[in-house]
Amino acid sequence: MKYANAYVAGVGVGLVLLATFVLTGHGLGAIGAYSRLVDPSHEDWTLYELLGVAIGGALSAGLAGRLRLAIARGPHVTPTARLATAGAGGVAMGIGAKLARGCTSGLALSGGAVLSVGAWVFIACAFAAGYAIMLVVKRLWI
Amino acid sequence: MDLTAIGLGVAFGFCLERGGMAYAPKLAGQFTGTDFTVLRVMFSAIITAMLGLFWLDRLGLIDLAHVYVPDTYLPAQTLGGVIFGAGFATAGLCPGTSCVAAATGRLDGLAVMVGLILGVIAFNVAHPWYDAAPLGPETLPSALGVPYGVVVCLVVLLALVVFGVSRTLERQP
């Protein structure tokens, strides 16, 4: 099955985010879950949220016939190289998100929607760096 | 067990997967200029939640003053954003979407999750030598000295411009 229209999916994410603000008083998150996995004394509700994210993602993929074991990668990358660079990107994002005190969910989306200055600075810097690093890592994807 | 958190997470993960946000080459397309899904999903999500909060507050159904605003740390969020963005374009997934990817059987999603855990550990090891002073929950309306509604309008305009530009860029060969 084809993916949903990006705007429809985006409005869906936005409504979930709005419901989160109304029900809990704060936004969504993801990096906090990893922090809690590393240090269980770190109180963070997002570990349960991320568990839900995994369930919801699997449910959607299952209904669309997209559940299968695979390594998603660019056409010119070996599976091993893809896993290694995916891990390296993860390390960078872990450090970056801890420095910024938030990731795409917790800072960019949630902070962006409540007009946090830091969130918009983070969005601008992350996009700029994403385009800049592509000068080096383009072969991973095209 | 926090059932509200799990329920909201299920809905979040479902929407992300529906939009193709668990497929790394699609997300990386944002940065190679071939696919603008990331920008479209992010900006439509931000303006939906932002407008919802704004109008619920105007109608007196919620109090925006009680909604959590993340603290601003300008140097840390500038540097953090740069490191994060570089990692995002290399991995093709972010902390939330890598979890969706892994849950749908993509091993690259699992590799990103392992990397994230290692990154958090590395940060925690280095943390005693680093600390940032927050500027507090600074918002664009207070920093710019303009009414909240004006910034809401500006963000909607920015999103519309971004949507229009992405459409034009996609039409090019």
Side-chain angles (χ1 to χ4, degrees):
Chain A
M1 199 166 103
K2 260 181 67 180
Y3 291 122
N5 175 286
Y7 297 113
V8 175
V11 169
V13 170
L15 291 175
V16 177
L17 181 56
L18 180 62
T20 307
F21 278 120
V22 172
L23 292 174
T24 71
H26 54 70
L28 293 160
I31 192 66
Y34 297 87
S35 297
R36 190 165 171 186
L37 280 176
V38 169
D39 175 10
S41 72
H42 177 92
E43 283 289 325
D44 204 300
W45 80 297
T46 53
L47 188 57
Y48 289 108
E49 185 220 297
L50 204 68
L51 178 66
V53 165
I55 298 168
L59 186 68
S60 167
L63 290 172
R66 285 193 285 263
L67 267 184
R68 65 175 179 282
L69 216 55
I71 297 173
R73 60 197 162 98
H76 305 293
V77 184
T78 64
T80 316
R82 165 64 182 139
L83 292 180
T85 51
V91 171
M93 282 189 290
I95 295 169
K98 289 298 283 181
L99 260 174
R101 287 171 169 77
C103 58
T104 339
S105 311
L107 190 56
L109 288 182
S110 307
V114 293
L115 308 179
S116 154
V117 172
W120 285 95
V121 168
F122 178 80
I123 292 171
C125 291
F127 270 96
Y131 282 107
I133 198 79
M134 240 350 137
L135 300 173
V136 185
V137 300
K138 202 169 199 152
R139 293 310 287 167
L140 287 176
W141 302 110
I142 49 178
Chain B
M1 285 290 269
D2 185 343
L3 287 177
T4 311
I6 295 177
L8 290 166
V10 168
F12 186 33
F14 191 93
C15 292
L16 287 175
E17 204 287 330
R18 282 285 119 164
M21 303 284 278
Y23 184 55
K26 193 169 177 65
L27 271 66
Q30 175 66 49
F31 302 106
T32 55
T34 52
D35 189 321
F36 295 89
T37 303
V38 171
L39 213 59
R40 287 176 181 147
V41 171
M42 270 186 72
F43 270 81
S44 31
I46 287 175
I47 57 173
T48 301
M50 177 189 70
L51 287 169
L53 286 171
F54 179 75
W55 285 108
L56 288 177
D57 175 75
R58 277 294 162 106
L59 297 170
L61 296 170
I62 60 158
D63 185 359
L64 250 183
H66 291 147
V67 171
Y68 173 73
V69 176
D71 276 335
T72 289
Y73 302 77
L74 281 184
Q77 281 162 339
T78 302
L79 180 63
V82 167
I83 299 173
F84 187 91
F88 189 7
T90 306
L93 295 162
C94 66
T97 53
S98 61
C99 178
V100 182
T104 60
R106 303 304 183 273
L107 297 174
D108 50 306
L110 200 60
V112 176
M113 291 181 82
V114 171
L116 281 163
I117 289 173
L118 296 177
V120 170
I121 292 173
F123 178 87
N124 287 349
V125 169
H127 190 61
W129 294 285
Y130 153 84
D131 215 351
L135 287 178
E138 189 75 58
T139 64
L140 292 170
S142 64
L144 301 171
V146 292
Y148 204 92
V150 172
V151 181
V152 168
C153 283
L154 289 174
V155 171
V156 172
L157 275 178
L158 172 70
L160 293 177
V161 169
V162 162
F163 295 155
V165 169
S166 73
R167 202 183 152 128
T168 312
L169 288 175
E170 238 173 30
R171 280 214 193 106
Q172 287 173 356

